[in-house]
């Protein structure tokens, strides 16, 4: 049983945070497109970013700032233009946005982190940004998480938000998060933006280590379409406003905090996979019996990312051969006779042999998951065992529908 409870409030649930989201005129649609999260005090900052060689200006900006000093007060995110592959002018635009916000907040630009999402190759609309930042700061609120969550999305159908609370040192500690992502989603990192706030006091190196591990078990374990992006950013702030003793090394309290951080990230990651472009259901792949956790996750991610598996799920076809084939090409050694595959409660393959099962009932299970889209009942569970090892891991994805092609065929036209 989890040692925490879900609460409302998103990124403003932890003490000492305000947030806002407004329409600044960055998106052609006229929908909200500029978001801000601010800590009342300086916060320890950590980040995990895209591994792409083609990166947005905001990614390089954040990396440089976090490497020199892992402290921040604010996260500014624009939606509509990715400001990626925009050359030196894109870098100047990013720097100017930080300077404009710093002036409005009366802090130094070094305390601001940046994120962008939208069409690659398009610079931010600076005139709209210049006019929007004063309005954005004026809109900051201790209950502004939902408006911020709504202002960072692009092709998402729903905003993603979560907040959890636990007790450390007899004091309440909270972690909140918001995220966006729907297409171009694949591990390493997945194409997404996620912002996490925490009111515990944690040392910089430990907070970064916790976030990196949480990312591997969440955002780096989801896939929608096998594509990654230029702007992926996971940024987490910890401002110490809960007034708990500082956590500086691994131990019971650190493990408790990291477990809650991982739970927040996994909730947001699954919400992204569930909201995959054109998707009708969430797919969870659980792998056990591997040599170690990394091997298990690699098999799980390969299965979740298989276009053939995803297409079969959309067609409500319990074709276990595609699952077996994906597991076999994951570049993880295992003996075929140790392979077991289950779809929900249906045993499809065991000890290297096909098993008799009710194909119509298994197909109905897949149909039921699709009928529950955007609800907790929408999950298709694929369970795979590859041996007697202690390694286990999970990955999340979605089915592949006709609508995915339509959405992305018309993305800029």
């Amino acid at each position: 049983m989890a040692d925490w409870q879900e609460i409302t409030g998103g990124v403003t649930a932890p003490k000492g945070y305000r947030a806002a989201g407004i329409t600044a005129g960055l998106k052609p649609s006229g929908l909200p497109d500029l978001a801000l999260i601010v800590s009342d005090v300086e916060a320890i900052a950590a980040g995990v970013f895209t591994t792409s060689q083609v990166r947005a200006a905001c990614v390089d900006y954040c990396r440089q700032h976090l490497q020199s000093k892992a402290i921040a007060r604010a996260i500014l995110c624009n939606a509509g233009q990715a400001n990626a592959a925009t050359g030196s002018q894109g870098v100047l635009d990013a720097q100017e946005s930080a300077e404009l916000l710093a002036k409005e907040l009366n802090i130094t630009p070094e305390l601001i982190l940046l994120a962008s999402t939208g069409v690659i190759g398009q610079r931010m609309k600076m005139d709209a940004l210049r006019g929007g930042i004063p309005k954005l700061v004026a809109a900051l609120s201790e209950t502004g998480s939902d408006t911020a969550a709504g202002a960072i999305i692009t092709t998402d159908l729903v905003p993603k938000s979560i907040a959890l609370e636990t007790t450390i040192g007899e004091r309440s500690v909270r972690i909140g998060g918001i995220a966006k992502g729907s297409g171009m989603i694949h591990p390493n990192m997945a194409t997404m933006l996620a912002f996490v706030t925490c009111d515990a006091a944690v040392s910089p190196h430990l907070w970064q280590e916790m976030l990196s591990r949480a990312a591997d078990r969440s955002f780096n374990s989801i896939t929608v379409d096998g594509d990654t992006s230029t702007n992926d950013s996971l940024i987490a702030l910890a401002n110490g406003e809960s007034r708990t003793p500082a956590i500086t090394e691994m131990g019971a309290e650190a493990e408790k905090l990291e477990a809650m951080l991982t739970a927040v990230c996994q909730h947001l990651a699954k919400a992204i996979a569930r909201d995959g472009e054109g998707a009708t259901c969430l797919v969870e792949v659980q792998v056990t019996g591997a040599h170690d956790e990394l091997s298990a996750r690699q098999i799980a991610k390969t299965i979740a990312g298989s276009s053939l598996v995803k297409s079969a799920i959309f067609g409500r076809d319990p074709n276990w051969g595609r699952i077996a084939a994906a597991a076999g090409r994951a570049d993880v050694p295992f003996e075929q006779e140790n392979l077991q595959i289950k779809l929900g409660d249906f045993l499809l393959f065991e000890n290297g042999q096909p098993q008799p099962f009710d194909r119509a009932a298994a197909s109905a299970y897949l149909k039921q998951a699709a009928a529950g889209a955007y609800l907790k009942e929408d999950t298709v569970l694929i369970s795979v065992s590859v041996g007697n090892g202690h390694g286990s891991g999970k990955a999340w994805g979605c089915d592949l529908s006709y609508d995915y092609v339509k959405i992305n065929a018309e993305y800029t036209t």
Side-chain angles (χ1 to χ4, degrees), residues 28-362:
S29 64
L31 294 172
D33 49 24
L34 194 60
L36 176 62
I37 301 169
V38 174
S39 172
D40 293 341
V41 298
E42 291 187 1
I44 299 301
V48 181
F49 302 95
T50 180
T51 57
S52 174
Q53 298 303 303
V54 180
R55 297 178 300 276
C58 57
V59 171
D60 288 340
Y61 174 94
C62 287
R63 278 178 168 165
Q64 291 167 6
H65 280 259
L66 291 177
Q67 286 172 1
S68 61
K69 193 173 184 181
I71 294 176
R73 281 280 310 277
I75 302 170
L76 175 67
C77 178
N78 71 281
Q81 298 85 45
N83 198 26
T86 49
S88 58
Q89 188 57 53
V91 174
L92 294 175
D93 290 343
Q95 292 172 344
E96 182 184 349
S97 68
E99 290 166 359
L100 289 167
L101 179 59
K103 183 178 180 180
E104 201 68 29
L105 291 174
N106 194 28
I107 61 177
T108 63
E110 289 73 23
L111 293 175
I112 293 169
L113 298 174
L114 304 174
S116 300
T117 183
V119 179
I120 295 170
Q122 291 188 2
R123 288 174 50 201
M124 292 183 288
K125 295 180 179 178
M126 293 306 294
D127 286 343
L129 194 72
R130 293 183 188 106
I133 284 179
K135 299 175 184 177
L136 183 64
V137 172
L140 282 169
S141 166
E142 292 179 354
T143 58
S145 181
D146 287 347
T147 61
I152 65 175
I153 62 176
T154 48
T155 60
D156 308 51
L157 296 179
V158 293
K160 289 95 176 163
S161 178
I162 183 68
L164 301 178
E165 181 179 41
T166 192
T167 301
I168 294 178
E170 300 183 353
R171 296 187 71 91
S172 170
V173 170
R174 296 177 174 184
I175 299 179
I178 60 174
K180 67 83 56 181
S182 185
M184 292 180 75
I185 303 293
H186 192 65
N188 203 25
M189 277 187 62
T191 301
M192 36 66 63
L193 300 178
F195 310 124
V196 174
T197 58
C198 175
D199 54 18
V202 192
S203 63
H205 77 279
L206 192 58
W207 189 232
Q208 180 62 59
E209 291 171 1
M210 287 180 176
L211 188 67
S212 296
R213 286 191 292 264
D216 283 340
R217 293 167 178 163
S218 58
F219 298 111
N220 279 338
S221 292
I222 58 173
T223 181
V224 168
D225 49 19
D227 271 295
T228 59
S229 182
T230 55
N231 291 56
D232 310 330
S233 300
L234 166 60
I235 300 171
L237 305 180
N239 68 5
E241 288 294 276
S242 64
R243 304 303 180 189
T244 53
I247 300 173
T248 59
E249 58 185 23
M250 289 306 296
E253 292 183 344
E255 290 173 0
K256 190 175 186 179
L257 187 67
E258 182 175 340
M260 190 164 71
L261 174 64
T262 301
V264 165
C265 290
Q266 286 184 343
H267 175 95
L268 295 173
K270 288 191 284 185
I272 289 173
R274 178 180 278 113
D275 194 23
E277 289 174 343
T280 68
C281 60
L282 175 69
V283 180
E284 179 173 312
V285 182
Q286 300 179 352
V287 174
T288 58
H291 175 69
D292 53 28
E293 180 185 350
L294 185 62
S295 299
R297 284 208 312 266
Q298 179 62 26
I299 296 172
K301 289 190 289 186
T302 305
I303 294 170
S306 165
S307 294
L308 291 177
V309 172
K310 290 156 65 67
S311 298
I313 292 171
F314 175 68
R316 320 311 170 203
D317 179 11
N319 187 346
W320 60 263
R322 292 181 174 181
I323 300 172
R329 67 174 174 82
D331 200 26
V332 175
F334 65 86
E335 298 298 329
Q336 179 173 305
E337 56 266 28
N338 292 332
L339 181 63
Q340 180 192 83
I341 300 172
K342 294 177 68 177
L343 178 66
D345 294 328
F346 298 93
L347 179 62
L348 313 181
F349 189 84
E350 189 173 36
N351 298 326
Q353 299 290 329
Q355 300 297 307
F357 68 97
D358 188 333
R359 185 170 293 274

